């Protein structure tokens, strides 16, 4: 069987951060308690000129700089996001032009709440695996917003990662992917609405936990593995609590989940979340490391992946682009007023 | 800017794509049809050439009073960058700290949103620059 896997990857996280305590201060909530309840200390905030397109382009450029694949050999680009800047006009065509991959390729955008990027990986695997194309780029990126004062405002953040999928010089082999999908209305945003709505407590047990646990268990059953067969696990992380609880229920330990858990520092990057977590693990751990990755998207579904780092990783030019870790801490903390301006929650008036 | 003009300049704006004279090897950005030194000898020999995006600040000014779209970004810095390949390129510098941008500061290009034509128009993307802070790690 043809081996398919990750040939290159890049991560991009905007440099601004806002602390949970600062958001809590504005809404009269207890900062320490909110931080503890959510397991989130701070979240990333995009600057005025950063959006899903710019994040996707930078991540894709970083990925190509490291693996050296000729952009002309990329046959498909799929970008998964719930915050594409245009309602009609693809993010992926802008990415394609900006990395020099046009015009001989196919491109489209995906939307599936927080798992649109992993859906892009699966489509890429199909096209690459059947030999239809040589390489594909799958991107998961978001600059999501929570309504002011809503619980989501503490977590909804910005960031993304791009994965080059191919058959040659694979640095991390995708041994198997498995998905679990149902119709579950836990979180949604109607056309034309600025902020999403959610089912409150309903987002936990019947939504996140049911899908993540079932998907992970079924994938491990197919692979005849258990938690101890993996060095690392990365689960979708809408907050800093859910992924830890789910990982423990699946039998994983702190050593296995800590590297891929980024939400406590950068918030929930939605379509970027699992892909950034995976990128943080690949940055650090070499050949032989086996990773279980499960993305969750509201609405609802999970994409699970069983991934093994190969010997080829030794030749990978990681230093050709900024690492995930170097971008996690951020560059500058801002107050709520600045954050509100950056996110167009307040607008200049009187003109 | 009109949509057709922006579209024509997309490759240059997204990828810092200029041209190189096939006769004297001098690099130009934005792209031009004829080399000003070689004239006729360069006709048909101007090849596409992508700048690396690396260079240094040649001069800069801090903008405090800006046109409408850029108002929310003041104060911001616009600089003339001497690229490693030769051409001078004008661009905004992003993510700077006080005192960080000086003449001679090493910069690299980043991909950012340049402007929007109101809430209904197209979004224009392209290159800006940021200071190179430390070795990538
Ligand atoms: Zn010439």
């Amino acid at each position: 069987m043809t081996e398919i896997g990750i040939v290159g990857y890049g991560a991009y996280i905007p440099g601004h951060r806002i602390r949970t305590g600062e958001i809590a201060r504005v809404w009269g909530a207890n900062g320490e308690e909110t931080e503890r309840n959510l397991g989130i200390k701070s979240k990333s905030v995009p600057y005025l000129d950063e959006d899903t397109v710019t994040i996707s382009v930078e991540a894709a450029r970083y990925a190509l700089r490291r693996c050296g694949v000729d952009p002309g050999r990329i046959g498909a680009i799929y970008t998964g996001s719930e915050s594409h800047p245009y309602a009609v006009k693809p993010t992926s065509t802008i990415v394609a032009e900006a990395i020099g991959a046009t015009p001989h390729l196919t491109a489209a955008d995906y939307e599936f709440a927080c798992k649109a990027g992993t859906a892009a990986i699966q489509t890429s695997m199909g096209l690459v695996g059947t030999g239809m194309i040589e390489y594909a780029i799958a991107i998961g990126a978001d600059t999501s917003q929570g309504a002011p004062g809503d619980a989501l405002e503490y977590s909804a953040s910005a960031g993304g990662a791009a994965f080059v999928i191919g058959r040659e010089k694979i640095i991390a082999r995708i041994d198997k992917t498995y998905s679990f999908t149902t119709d579950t209305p836990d979180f949604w945003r109607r056309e034309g609405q600025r902020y999403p709505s959610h089912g409150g407590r309903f987002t936990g047990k019947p939504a996140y936990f049911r899908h993540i646990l079932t998907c992970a268990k079924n994938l491990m059953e197919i692979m005849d593995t258990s938690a101890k067969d993996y060095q690392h696990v990365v689960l979708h992380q809408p907050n800093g609590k859910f992924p830890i609880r789910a990982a423990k229920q699946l039998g994983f330990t702190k050593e296995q989940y800590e590297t891929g858990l980024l939400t406590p520092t950068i918030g929930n990057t939605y379509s970027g979340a699992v892909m950034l977590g995976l990128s943080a693990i690949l940055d650090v751990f070499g050949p032989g490391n086996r990773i279980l990755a499960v993305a969750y998207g509201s609405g609802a579904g999970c994409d699970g992946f069983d991934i093994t780092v190969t010997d080829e990783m030794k030749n990978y030019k990681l230093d050709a682009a900024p690492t995930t870790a170097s971008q996690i801490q951020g560059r500058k903390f801002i107050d709520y007023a600045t954050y509100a301006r950056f996110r167009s929650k307040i607008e200049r008036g009187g003109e | 800017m009109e949509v057709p003009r922006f579209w024509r300049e997309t490759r240059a704006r997204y990828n810092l794509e200029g041209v190189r004279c096939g006769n004297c090897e001098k690099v130009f950005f934005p792209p031009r049809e004829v080399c000003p030194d070689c004239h006729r000898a360069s006709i048909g020999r101007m090849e596409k050439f992508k700048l690396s995006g690396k260079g240094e600040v040649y001069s800069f000014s801090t903008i405090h009073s800006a046109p409408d779209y850029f108002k929310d970004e003041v104060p911001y810095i616009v600089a003339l960058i001497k690229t490693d390949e030769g051409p001078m390129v004008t661009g905004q510098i992003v993510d700077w700290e006080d005192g960080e941008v000086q003449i001679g500061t090493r910069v690299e290009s980043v991909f950012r949103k340049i402007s929007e034509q109101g809430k209904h128009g197209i979004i224009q993307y392209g290159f800006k620059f940021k200071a190179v802070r430390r070795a990538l790690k």
Side-chain angles (χ1 to χ4, degrees):
Chain A
M1 207 180 81
T2 315
E3 285 195 344
I4 307 162
I6 299 159
V7 175
Y9 66 93
Y12 184 87
I13 306 167
H16 290 94
R17 298 286 177 276
I18 185 166
R19 291 192 172 89
T20 299
E22 173 63 9
I23 299 174
R25 179 183 68 81
V26 171
W27 301 112
N30 181 323
E32 281 171 28
E33 198 182 295
T34 310
E35 192 177 311
R36 214 168 36 242
N37 287 345
L38 292 172
I40 299 175
K41 295 192 291 285
S42 57
K43 68 166 190 170
S44 63
V45 180
Y47 184 59
L48 290 159
D49 64 358
E50 290 175 307
D51 64 14
T52 291
V53 165
T54 66
I55 291 169
S56 300
V57 168
E58 293 287 27
R61 283 181 175 174
Y62 289 167
L64 291 176
R65 243 194 253 170
R66 285 172 171 165
C67 67
V69 166
D70 170 9
R73 293 168 72 184
I74 293 160
I77 296 180
Y78 295 106
T79 309
S81 179
E82 59 114 67
S83 50
H84 292 290
Y86 287 97
V88 179
K89 190 197 171 325
T91 297
S92 299
T93 56
I94 304 173
V95 175
E97 192 72 51
I99 60 169
T102 51
H104 305 293
L105 82 163
T106 180
D109 288 355
Y110 273 147
E111 184 278 313
F112 194 147
C114 301
K115 78 160 195 76
T118 50
I121 294 181
Q122 292 178 328
T123 309
S124 298
M125 289 173 68
L127 294 180
V128 167
T130 54
M132 270 178 72
I133 57 174
E134 260 189 290
Y135 295 101
I137 298 186
I139 301 167
D142 261 307
T143 55
S144 300
Q145 296 240 44
D150 187 85
L152 279 177
E153 196 182 21
Y154 294 104
S155 57
S157 68
F163 285 76
V164 181
I165 307 297
R167 295 183 300 265
E168 281 168 32
K169 294 197 175 171
I170 292 168
I171 56 170
R173 191 178 61 241
I174 303 175
D175 300 305
K176 182 77 188 168
T177 180
Y178 162 81
S179 292
F180 180 77
T181 308
T182 70
D183 179 2
T184 307
D186 56 327
F187 171 97
W188 61 91
R189 180 166 62 82
R190 294 278 300 274
E191 184 69 42
Q193 293 298 302
R194 183 159 179 199
Y195 298 113
S197 306
H198 54 84
R201 300 188 79 85
F202 184 65
T203 55
K205 207 174 167 195
Y208 178 87
F209 287 100
R210 176 181 173 221
H211 290 79
I212 287 270
L213 297 176
T214 310
C215 183
K217 279 178 190 159
N218 289 358
L219 178 55
M220 286 194 279
E221 198 177 307
I222 294 165
M223 299 305 286
D224 195 21
T225 53
S226 64
K228 64 177 183 347
D229 294 306
Y230 301 89
Q231 280 68 44
H232 308 281
V233 64
V234 54
L235 305 177
H236 179 53
Q237 34 204 275
N239 53 51
K241 290 292 187 63
F242 280 16
I244 294 178
R245 205 187 305 158
K248 283 181 177 164
Q249 283 186 39
L250 290 165
F252 290 98
T253 61
K254 188 172 183 231
E255 289 65 40
Q256 288 164 297
Y257 67 68
E258 66 186 353
T259 310
L261 184 61
L262 313 182
T263 294
T265 319
I266 65 169
N268 178 10
T269 54
Y270 285 56
S271 301
V274 157
M275 293 170 75
L276 280 170
L278 183 56
S279 140
I281 294 166
L282 294 174
D283 276 356
V284 183
F285 295 97
N289 276 270
R290 194 167 177 184
I291 305 154
L292 182 76
V294 185
Y296 171 75
S298 290
C302 276
D303 299 330
F305 299 86
D306 186 314
I307 297 167
T308 305
V309 181
T310 71
D311 285 340
E312 186 63 32
M313 184 62 104
K314 290 177 191 156
N315 304 320
Y316 188 58
K317 294 193 185 73
L318 182 69
D319 288 350
T323 60
T324 319
S326 74
Q327 300 180 68
I328 286 174
Q329 285 312 318
R331 207 175 46 75
K332 193 184 251 178
F333 280 92
I334 54 175
D335 58 18
Y336 191 90
T338 307
Y339 161 74
R341 190 166 65 85
F342 282 8
R343 303 304 280 134
S344 302
K345 287 170 195 268
I346 48 169
E347 285 176 21
R348 194 182 288 269
E351 285 159 36
Chain B
M1 189 183 298
E2 307 245 324
V3 172
R5 178 167 162 223
F6 184 81
W7 178 71
R8 274 197 306 278
E9 294 175 0
T10 291
R11 285 193 85 93
R13 283 171 187 279
Y14 283 11
N15 293 315
L16 278 164
E17 191 179 276
V19 289
R20 184 168 59 182
C21 170
N23 195 47
C24 71
E25 302 206 327
K26 209 172 165 194
V27 176
F28 300 94
F29 184 91
R32 48 191 302 165
E33 304 278 324
V34 180
C35 173
D37 298 330
C38 307
H39 307 288
R40 284 172 141 236
S42 71
I43 292 171
R45 297 181 66 191
M46 301 297 276
E47 305 142 1
K48 279 180 185 170
F49 186 87
K50 205 170 151 259
L51 304 186
S52 65
K54 295 183 166 67
E56 60 183 55
V57 175
Y58 181 78
S59 71
F60 68 97
S61 62
T62 307
I63 312 290
H64 293 278
S65 174
D68 270 355
Y69 179 77
F70 299 96
K71 263 186 182 167
D72 284 342
E73 296 189 42
V74 295
Y76 62 88
I77 295 177
V78 173
L80 195 55
I81 307 297
K82 181 160 176 41
T83 60
D84 289 354
E85 295 82 3
M88 289 285 188
V89 175
T90 305
Q92 192 180 331
I93 296 192
V94 296
D95 294 352
W96 49 277
E97 309 289 346
D98 282 339
E100 184 183 42
V101 178
Q102 305 287 345
I103 287 167
T105 300
R106 289 291 298 167
V107 295
E108 60 188 353
S109 65
V110 294
F111 190 84
R112 295 289 178 102
K113 187 156 77 177
I114 306 291
S115 66
E116 280 175 38
Q117 298 187 321
K119 291 206 184 304
H120 299 278
I122 63 160
I123 306 168
Q124 301 173 334
Y125 295 96
F127 63 84
K128 292 186 180 179
F129 293 92
K130 69 168 186 191
V132 179
R133 289 211 175 84
R134 50 188 174 271
L136 298 173
K137 195 70 197 176

